[in-house]
Amino acid sequence: MKKQNVRTLSLIVCTFTYLLIGAAVFDALESETEKRRRDVLDYVERKLIQKYSVSNDDFKLFETIILKSEPHKAGQQWKFAGAFYYATTVLTTIGYGHSTPSTVAGKLFTMFYAIMGIPLGLVMFQSIGERLNKFSSHVIKKVKRVMNCKDTDASEINLICVVTTLSGLTVAGGAAAFSRYEGWTYFDSVYYCFITLTTIGFGDMVALQKDNALATKPEYVAFALIFILFGLAIVAASLNLLVLRFVTMNTEDERRDEAEALQAMQGAVRLEGDVITANGSIMSGQGGHGEHVEHAELVEMDDDVASVCSLPCGCLGRHAPRAPPSPPPSRHHRPSLGHGIAHNTAHLMPPLKALMPLLMERDRPMRAKRLANECDWPAVPTYRNSI
């Protein structure tokens, strides 16, 4: 199994294991609190109905009015400021759910707007993150030069520390501002900033939803929008360093496998015929692979045993005497191609062995040297009988 397949399977198993662990922890932390709150709300509902003699239908109507009027406390959600806020949550995939379109045309436009806007936003934030990482690397190099460090290059650890620090400062500063404007506790403000910048967007806490803020506090509206866009760029820079390395590991493994396969194909050649080894044994070379020697190929020339060397010296053809013709085979018994050739080609060993120094002087001396070191006598193609 390939390395990238094993890694993918491991990631799937780890992800589902992580989900199971998270479900167990959230169940232990939140289930009892949820049950107590539900019991309290049921008790208050019964008391109100008894006290004011309200029917169940009227009480349900009151609930609907209270829930539907909640978004209108921020002012008109679909004027330009509120519409820009909504478009930002769509493009960044935060999706608070504080305001949603109620018309068919608005819902249809939201779908098409998201199809075009979400990829555009992702590319933009990714590009800003890369520019920010490059700027951070320049700053790190200058700081290291000022401090007279031996290694002035910005490593991945340095960049991770810088973007993590920037992310922490962004969350801390935004939490302080939201705590002041919204009246939240500082911890709740930190929680809101984290949920927003990671684009989780539960919608349980949403800024700009009190005291008609969209209409009466333009500076707060501008700060909230800038915080979302700038903060997402910082988070994109962090993800570019923390996640991109793991995402590209499969691609790197695939490229490495392709390069190794290509190198293996270049280092092999298909043999035709039988192969005579140094000890005189015959090995079939049909469909096999032998060592690739580009400048020394032995080919068939004649009906009898003959060979031609591609080297300009023509040493093999000049020194190798012709073998006597083999007797015709019997009609009932037809020998194999390699039968009897070992006896007729023993005299070819010295001139062929003398070919190795010439090969080592050619274009690929290292490959010929490795071939000579690995075996006393390299495999050569068989010279066919005149059958």
Side-chain angles (χ1 to χ4, degrees):
M1 186 178 291
K2 290 186 177 180
K3 201 182 303 180
Q4 50 265 35
N5 294 337
V6 175
R7 184 182 297 112
T8 302
L9 183 61
S10 301
L11 287 174
I12 293 173
V13 173
C14 290
T15 301
F16 276 98
T17 304
Y18 193 73
L19 290 173
L20 293 174
I21 294 173
V25 172
F26 288 129
D27 186 6
L29 294 176
E30 297 292 336
S31 60
E32 292 297 328
T33 303
E34 180 189 23
K35 185 175 181 303
R36 287 196 301 267
R37 288 186 176 180
R38 180 62 183 173
D39 293 340
V40 170
L41 290 175
D42 291 340
Y43 175 77
V44 173
E45 179 181 347
R46 289 194 301 270
K47 289 295 183 182
L48 288 175
I49 292 174
Q50 293 174 2
K51 182 177 181 180
Y52 297 102
S53 299
V54 179
S55 63
N56 290 330
D57 294 337
D58 293 339
F59 187 82
K60 296 296 181 182
L61 180 60
F62 291 152
E63 282 184 336
T64 303
I65 293 173
I66 293 172
L67 292 175
K68 294 296 183 180
S69 62
E70 183 66 24
H72 298 284
K73 294 181 180 179
Q76 288 185 304
Q77 294 283 354
W78 295 106
K79 286 297 183 181
F80 186 79
F84 192 87
Y85 190 37
Y86 170 78
T88 302
T89 61
V90 172
L91 184 118
T92 57
T93 69
I94 296 175
Y96 288 128
H98 64 288
S99 61
T100 56
S102 57
T103 63
V104 175
K107 294 176 181 178
L108 187 63
F109 180 73
T110 297
M111 291 188 288
F112 284 102
Y113 186 79
I115 290 174
M116 297 294 295
I118 291 174
L120 177 63
L122 292 176
V123 173
M124 181 196 71
F125 290 125
Q126 183 69 20
S127 179
I128 294 175
E130 291 178 355
R131 297 300 94 196
L132 183 60
N133 289 334
K134 189 172 182 179
F135 175 76
S136 301
S137 65
H138 286 302
V139 174
I140 291 171
K141 289 180 181 179
K142 290 183 179 180
V143 171
K144 285 188 174 182
R145 289 172 185 171
V146 171
M147 298 177 64
N148 295 325
C149 297
K150 293 182 180 180
D151 186 10
T152 59
D153 293 332
S155 63
E156 290 186 358
I157 301 298
N158 300 139
L159 290 175
I160 289 174
C161 292
V162 170
V163 297
T164 302
T165 303
L166 288 177
S167 300
L169 293 175
T170 302
V171 172
F178 287 117
S179 177
R180 177 177 177 272
Y181 279 103
E182 297 289 340
W184 298 331
T185 64
Y186 188 77
F187 178 78
D188 287 341
S189 300
V190 171
Y191 168 79
Y192 165 77
C193 293
F194 179 83
I195 295 300
T196 297
L197 297 184
T198 53
T199 69
I200 296 174
F202 287 131
D204 54 341
M205 300 177 67
V206 183
L208 303 174
Q209 299 300 299
K210 293 181 179 179
D211 302 328
N212 201 16
L214 290 172
T216 60
K217 297 178 181 179
E219 72 285 353
Y220 181 39
V221 175
F223 168 78
L225 296 175
I226 292 173
F227 169 79
I228 292 174
L229 296 176
F230 179 75
L232 286 174
I234 299 294
V235 172
S238 302
L239 295 177
N240 188 29
L241 292 172
L242 297 174
V243 179
L244 189 60
R245 175 60 181 169
F246 298 97
V247 172
T248 56
M249 288 180 70
N250 283 340
T251 304
E252 292 178 357
D253 289 339
E254 290 177 357
R255 291 179 180 176
R256 190 181 301 110
D257 293 342
E258 291 177 358
E260 291 177 356
L262 182 60
Q263 186 177 4
M265 291 176 62
Q266 291 176 350
V269 66
R270 185 180 180 88
L271 295 179
E272 297 292 341
D274 296 337
V275 176
I276 304 176
T277 60
N279 57 7
S281 61
I282 299 176
M283 179 176 61
S284 177
Q286 293 289 344
H289 294 277
E291 292 293 329
H292 179 57
V293 183
E294 293 182 357
H295 301 286
E297 295 180 352
L298 302 176
V299 298
E300 285 185 331
M301 275 293 293
D302 214 318
D303 292 337
D304 296 331
V305 179
S307 63
V308 174
C309 177
S310 64
L311 293 175
C313 62
C315 59
L316 186 58
R318 183 171 62 250
H319 296 292
R322 296 177 61 87
S326 303
S330 172
R331 187 171 57 183
H332 301 287
H333 175 68
R334 186 178 184 89
S336 62
L337 290 177
H339 182 70
I341 291 183
H343 303 287
N344 297 331
T345 57
H347 59 280
L348 296 179
M349 296 301 176
L352 287 176
K353 207 164 188 178
L355 185 63
M356 294 306 299
L358 297 176
L359 290 176
M360 295 174 64
E361 295 175 2
R362 297 290 294 183
D363 298 337
R364 301 181 182 273
M366 296 304 296
R367 184 175 296 174
K369 187 181 295 183
R370 176 174 59 81
L371 186 61
N373 291 334
E374 289 181 355
C375 57
D376 295 334
W377 165 235
V380 296
T382 299
Y383 306 97
R384 300 182 184 274
N385 293 331
S386 58
I387 298 174

